[in-house]
Amino acid sequence: MAMTEGYRNLIAAYGGSKITHIGLVDGTGAELSGSPYTRKAITWTAPNDGTISPDEDLIFDIPGGATVAGWRGFSAATGGTNYGGEDLPAETYNKDGQYKLVAEGTGIKHE
């Protein structure tokens, strides 16, 4: 039996409340570390067709030498549960810089 749109939206909304922060990972899936990097607190848009997205773009400070290759949703600012995310085109930083994670392209879909 196919689940209803209401069910998908309910799960999307509930899942979003568990993911309170987004962090960035390198090509091996390890979260970035070192100053000035930190996870970003996140709030989610209302579900649309079972999809939730951040309510705004997120700007991360990236330490020199790091490679951004994906994002992950976490249950806390540090530690917590890693709920997964998506891979991104790899971008390497030779010196400190900033990475903009665009809200419109960052979503969680429950199918």
Side-chain angles (χ1 to χ4, degrees):
M1 170 172 126
M3 301 309 289
T4 68
E5 185 66 22
Y7 170 78
R8 289 195 305 272
N9 286 338
L10 177 68
I11 294 300
Y14 177 76
S17 70
K18 297 297 180 190
I19 298 172
T20 61
H21 290 76
I22 287 184
L24 300 175
V25 296
D26 64 17
T28 69
E31 186 175 11
L32 302 187
S33 63
S35 182
Y37 170 79
T38 60
R39 291 179 188 169
K40 298 295 178 182
I42 185 79
T43 55
W44 299 94
T45 61
N48 179 14
D49 294 332
T51 300
I52 57 173
S53 297
D55 66 354
E56 63 184 3
D57 296 342
L58 301 172
I59 306 296
F60 292 87
D61 293 317
I62 307 299
T67 297
V68 174
W71 66 268
R72 301 295 183 263
F74 293 91
S75 63
T78 60
T81 301
N82 176 346
Y83 288 107
E86 293 185 17
D87 292 336
L88 300 166
E91 188 172 329
T92 301
Y93 290 75
N94 294 322
K95 59 182 182 174
D96 288 359
Q98 290 189 322
Y99 184 87
K100 181 179 183 178
L101 187 63
V102 179
E104 185 176 313
T106 306
I108 300 171
K109 182 165 183 72
H110 183 279
E111 298 184 78

